[in-house]
């Protein structure tokens, strides 16, 4: 009986989200998404690029995952900085696992943090040269703080990264200060805006590979057959 109730709730969620268009985009400095609930992310940096694309997920047999991203850049306390916001949907029959970068590049232990009343997985690390599909972090001189949240039965991912140019060894004090700045580098709200969503037109990120951004979104697994109900994805 509990299993049946779960299936009914899952089916209801999928039907509701299929009926409501998943409108996403950038307005001013804010990334907006209305699926599955209103999500507003406002980095304290200037938006440069934004687009909706179909990411390619190699591990699912090259299925496509619709996602919308925003890249913001600028300076924080005289240091070059960048922020990336992504909302992505999984292809039918698949769901995401929690995302953890390669252990060789971690600068701390992955843990849960609460932002705007919601739980996120948070981790700090450095990219190796050539690993950053956005081409911002050239080499290991950038330190990254990543926040991820899986929603709608792990079929939707909210992905936020804050980065700073930070050459040299990341001491415990430097890492702590960076993580504090990362937590304050954006405002996050899950409240619906009072007016109709109107999006700005920004250029797409040059050279962004759908395959590479699909890899960035992390590992996936098949949904067990008794739990899987085909869904309709709308943008």
């Amino acid at each position: 009986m509990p299993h049946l109730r779960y299936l009914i709730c899952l089916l209801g969620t999928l039907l509701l989200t299929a009926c409501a268009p998943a409108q996403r985009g950038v307005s001013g400095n804010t990334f907006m998404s209305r699926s599955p609930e209103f999500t507003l992310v406002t980095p304290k940096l200037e938006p440069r690029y934004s687009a909706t694309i179909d990411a390619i997920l190699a591990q699912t047999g090259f299925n496509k995952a619709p996602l919308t991203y925003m890249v913001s850049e600028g300076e924080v306390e005289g240091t070059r900085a960048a922020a990336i916001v992504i909302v992505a949907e999984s292809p039918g029959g698949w769901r995401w696992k929690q995302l953890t970068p390669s252990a060789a590049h971690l600068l701390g232990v992955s843990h849960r943090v609460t932002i705007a009343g919601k739980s996120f997985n948070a981790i700090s690390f450095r990219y190796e040269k050539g690993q950053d599909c956005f081409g911002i972090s050239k080499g290991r001189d950038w330190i990254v703080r990543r926040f991820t949240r899986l929603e709608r039965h792990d079929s939707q991912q909210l992905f936020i990264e804050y980065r700073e140019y930070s050459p040299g060894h990341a001491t415990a004090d430097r890492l702590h200060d960076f993580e504090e700045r990362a937590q304050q580098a954006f405002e996050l709200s899950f409240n619906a805006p009072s007016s109709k969503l109107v999006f700005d037109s920004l250029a797409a990120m040059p050279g962004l590979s759908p395959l590479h951004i699909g890899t960035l979104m992390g590992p996936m697994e098949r949904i067990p057959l008794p739990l899987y109900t085909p869904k309709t994805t709308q943008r």
Side-chain angles (χ1 to χ4, degrees):
M1 205 48 127
H3 182 68
L4 179 60
R5 285 198 298 269
Y6 177 83
L7 289 176
I8 293 172
C9 291
L10 175 61
L11 179 59
T13 300
L14 294 176
L15 288 174
L16 287 172
T17 52
C19 295
Q23 298 179 15
R24 301 189 189 105
V26 178
S27 179
N29 284 16
T30 300
F31 180 99
M32 297 183 174
S33 172
R34 62 173 297 171
S35 174
E37 61 181 334
F38 278 99
T39 303
L40 309 176
V41 185
T42 307
K44 297 177 181 178
L45 298 169
E46 185 70 23
R48 302 291 189 191
Y49 308 101
S50 179
T52 296
I53 65 171
D54 286 325
I56 298 175
L57 305 171
Q59 61 182 303
T60 70
F62 296 94
N63 285 315
K64 295 180 179 179
L67 63 80
T68 303
Y69 67 83
M70 178 179 77
V71 179
S72 303
E73 297 179 294
E75 289 192 356
V76 174
E77 298 181 4
T79 299
R80 292 168 58 196
I84 295 171
V85 182
I86 304 173
V87 172
E89 296 186 29
S90 66
W94 293 85
R95 64 187 178 191
W96 270 288
K97 299 180 180 179
Q98 279 296 346
L99 180 56
T100 302
S102 169
H105 316 311
L106 296 182
L107 298 174
V109 178
S110 175
H111 60 279
R112 307 295 294 182
V113 298
T114 300
I115 306 174
K118 302 286 186 178
S119 179
F120 285 77
N121 189 61
I123 190 67
S124 299
F125 63 100
R126 290 186 186 275
Y127 276 114
E128 280 292 336
K129 186 176 182 180
Q131 285 187 335
D132 176 20
C133 66
F134 285 95
I136 300 171
S137 306
K138 296 176 175 61
R140 298 190 64 192
D141 289 338
W142 286 73
I143 190 171
V144 182
R145 183 69 165 166
R146 177 182 291 168
F147 305 90
T148 54
R149 175 176 169 79
L150 299 180
E151 301 175 318
R152 212 175 69 186
H153 305 286
D154 299 342
S155 68
Q156 188 172 71
Q157 182 177 170
L158 173 57
F159 175 108
I160 302 171
E161 278 191 356
Y162 174 72
R163 312 175 179 193
E164 284 184 4
Y165 182 73
S166 180
H169 178 65
T171 64
D173 288 343
R174 286 180 63 187
L175 180 61
H176 177 268
D177 291 344
F178 164 74
E179 292 180 348
E180 287 289 320
R181 288 194 299 276
Q183 193 90 358
Q184 302 299 321
F186 56 89
E187 295 178 358
L188 182 60
S189 172
F190 292 92
N191 298 317
S194 57
S195 57
K196 181 181 178 181
L197 299 185
V198 178
F199 299 128
D200 301 333
S201 178
L202 295 179
M205 188 79 187
L208 182 61
S209 163
L211 180 60
H212 291 166
I213 197 172
T215 301
L216 176 71
M217 299 315 295
M220 307 194 77
E221 62 184 2
R222 286 191 179 275
I223 299 175
L225 286 177
L227 300 181
Y228 171 57
T229 303
K231 65 180 179 180
T232 300
T233 300
Q234 299 184 21
R235 295 186 187 175

